[in-house]
Every structure is written in C-alpha cells, then in structure tokens.
Amino acid sequence: ELASRKLPFADVASKQTVVRRIKAGKMEEFGEDAPLALVELASAAWSLDPTQRPKAAAMLATINGAMKAEEMKALQEENERLRAERQQVPAEFICPITHEMMADPVVASDGFSYERKAINEWLAKGRTNSPMTNAKILKRVVPNVQLRKLIDEFKARRE
C-alpha cells in the first residue's frame, strides 16, 4: 500500500465493514491464518481520521499479545503432534532418561536399554546408580544392535 500510495480496503466504507468481511471468512486481504486481533488493529491503523488510529504503545501490546497467542497455539499443536507420535511408538523404543525414541540404543549393566548420549551423560556426571533400578552400574555400555534394527524398521514403515 505504501509503494502504490493506495489506501488499503479502498473498496470498503469502514473498519466495521472490514471486520465483518473478515469474520465472514473473507480474509484474502490478510491470508487465512491472520489473527483477528491483528486484522482489527490494521484496519484501525488505516483509519482516515488520525484521532481514530491506535497509539503506538497500544499497537505494540496488541501485536505482542497476538504473537504470543500464535506461539502458544503452535506450541500446543507441536505438543499434541508429539504426544500422538509418542503414543504410537512402542514403549521399548523409548529411552527411560530422555523419554524420546532412541536412535542409538545401548544396554547398560543393569540390563536396560538407553540412548547412548543420555546414559553417557548420566555416567559422566558421576552417577553410579541405574536410572531404572538404583542399583550400582558399570560405566561400560554395549550397543543394542537388535533394538536399533527394530527401531530403524519402525521408522522406515512410518515414512
């Protein structure tokens, strides 16, 4: 709009008309995913009457609020996706330390499998007890080749 020197929404009479069009699902001017608070702010900022335009502090507060809401929504969606993915992953593929699917499983002397990086960090911190049983464990871990093969096959089927 600045480059063309045309007023946005020149074809509509007022902010209320813009908001009504947007609420009716006609958000092509902003894109389908535009938060309504930002759309309303933009339409108010484009008012021909300078006294009706929002102050900079109010605009920033609205933008920050909308951004936080969008970030929270994205985080919730990611959390739901991870939760659904985790429910589909067999429990044996989940590291008891990281609670994530293992990529490089190893067996510790307690007989449990862990993600190599996680158990090595556990042991590097001077911990000498098993994360699962609290019994003494050795610092040596052995690759769990069979589990890794099963995890790789599982990943391949999901792709």
Side-chain angles (χ1 to χ4, degrees):
E1 286 81 12
L2 291 175
S4 67
R5 295 183 182 257
K6 293 188 326 187
L7 287 174
F9 300 111
D11 62 324
V12 292
S14 68
K15 172 186 169 187
Q16 289 76 20
T17 305
V18 172
V19 172
R20 251 185 272 116
R21 283 181 63 189
I22 292 164
K23 286 182 178 176
K26 299 176 182 173
M27 294 180 66
E28 64 277 356
E29 293 89 349
F30 288 92
E32 290 297 321
D33 58 346
L36 187 58
L38 292 182
V39 173
E40 290 175 340
L41 174 66
S43 61
W46 289 330
S47 173
L48 294 176
D49 181 359
T51 62
Q52 298 298 313
R53 295 181 191 145
K55 303 289 184 226
M59 290 176 71
L60 286 174
T62 302
I63 292 168
N64 284 336
M67 288 174 65
K68 287 178 184 170
E70 288 298 303
E71 288 171 7
M72 287 300 295
K73 181 180 175 186
L75 286 173
Q76 288 172 341
E77 288 172 357
E78 177 68 6
N79 191 27
E80 289 173 19
R81 184 190 66 76
L82 289 172
R83 188 176 292 136
E85 183 179 292
R86 193 172 292 136
Q87 289 173 350
Q88 297 171 357
V89 175
E92 298 80 21
F93 297 176
I94 304 296
C95 172
I97 298 173
T98 64
H99 302 287
E100 295 177 0
M101 186 165 47
M102 294 180 271
D104 187 12
V106 294
V107 178
S109 62
D110 63 357
F112 287 93
S113 291
Y114 303 95
E115 178 64 33
R116 180 185 302 274
K117 183 178 178 187
I119 192 66
N120 284 341
E121 286 176 3
W122 177 276
L123 296 169
K125 291 180 181 177
R127 296 175 174 147
T128 58
N129 292 354
S130 161
M132 295 296 289
T133 65
N134 207 28
K136 294 280 185 199
I137 58 171
L138 304 174
K139 288 195 176 211
R140 184 173 175 269
V141 294
V142 178
N144 191 332
V145 178
Q146 183 60 33
L147 182 58
R148 184 176 190 150
K149 180 182 174 195
L150 291 171
I151 290 171
D152 289 344
E153 288 172 0
F154 175 78
K155 286 180 181 178
R157 282 194 311 269
R158 285 184 15 174
E159 294 175 353

